[in-house]
Amino acid sequence: MFIATLIAADRLRAGDISAASDRLSAADCGPGSPRWIEEGKAADIPFARNPAAAREALEGAFPGVDLVVQA
């Protein structure tokens, strides 16, 4: 299992999390249910496979949002 963590410089919206999950799904990463770490600031999205594809799908997709992909 892997985790994609999105961390906002300003504001992270529920729509951003949904779009990130959709991108992970399109990249065949097998995303699970996202959860807020701190609402509006940071969220984790678990996914099943292919961390390189996850990084490629999410990197730079959301301005002002940092990305961490980890096991």
Side-chain angles (χ1 to χ4, degrees):
M1 182 63 72
F2 301 95
I3 301 285
T5 302
L6 303 175
I7 306 162
D10 182 31
R11 181 89 178 134
L12 188 61
R13 293 168 177 74
D16 297 330
I17 304 305
S18 179
S21 290
D22 290 347
R23 285 174 165 269
L24 290 172
S25 184
D28 194 33
C29 294
S33 297
R35 69 174 179 83
W36 287 108
I37 295 170
E38 182 179 338
E39 192 164 345
K41 294 289 183 185
D44 281 339
I45 305 171
F47 63 98
R49 59 192 164 272
N50 205 345
R55 177 169 295 286
E56 185 176 321
L58 298 175
E59 190 72 43
F62 306 98
V65 175
D66 290 329
L67 170 69
V68 178
V69 174
Q70 58 197 347

